[in-house]
Amino acid sequence: FMDASLAPVASLSLHPSLDLALLSLDLPHRTQYPRISSQKPSLQSPVIAFGAETQDATIAEHRGVVLSQRESLEIGGNLFTGLLLTDIPFQSGYSGGPLMNLDGEII
């Protein structure tokens, strides 16, 4: 967490073919979560992505900038909104990880 504290995982569900993990944490104390930004990032805004690059789930950080924004995109009958394009080379293990601004807010 942001205060460098750790919490044990109370339950874990995995779906490897979808690259998805759902965690339930056992929180013995009140923990502060990252804020969600109330503002859209502008073009060329610095961003940070976090993800697990390896099988041992070591978390890695990559920095980049916002290259473009797209209001919506339809793929296979599903509508996706509020899309951002960055120059960060995303790979397996990054899906679902946060994209953050330099204030530590999720964007």
Side-chain angles (χ1 to χ4, degrees):
F1 294 98
M2 291 177 68
D3 64 0
S5 65
L6 301 175
V9 174
S11 65
L12 171 67
S13 298
L14 297 174
H15 198 303
S17 64
L18 294 177
D19 189 23
L20 178 67
L22 181 62
L23 307 174
S24 173
L25 302 178
D26 183 10
L27 299 174
H29 61 283
R30 188 177 192 134
T31 304
Q32 186 177 24
Y33 297 97
R35 291 184 321 268
I36 296 175
S37 177
S38 60
Q39 298 179 7
K40 276 187 183 180
S42 59
L43 297 181
Q44 297 301 313
S45 292
V47 292
I48 305 168
F50 295 92
E53 294 183 336
T54 60
Q55 291 296 333
D56 67 0
T58 300
I59 302 297
E61 166 192 322
H62 289 282
R63 292 175 180 253
V65 297
V66 174
L67 298 175
S68 71
Q69 300 177 359
R70 187 160 184 169
E71 290 301 317
S72 64
L73 177 66
E74 186 174 343
I75 301 175
N78 296 308
L79 184 64
F80 299 92
T81 61
L83 304 174
L84 299 174
L85 175 65
T86 76
D87 62 352
I88 298 172
F90 287 97
Q91 56 194 27
S92 178
Y94 276 69
S95 58
L99 185 63
M100 303 180 92
N101 60 28
L102 294 185
D103 293 328
E105 298 171 323
I106 298 171
I107 55 173

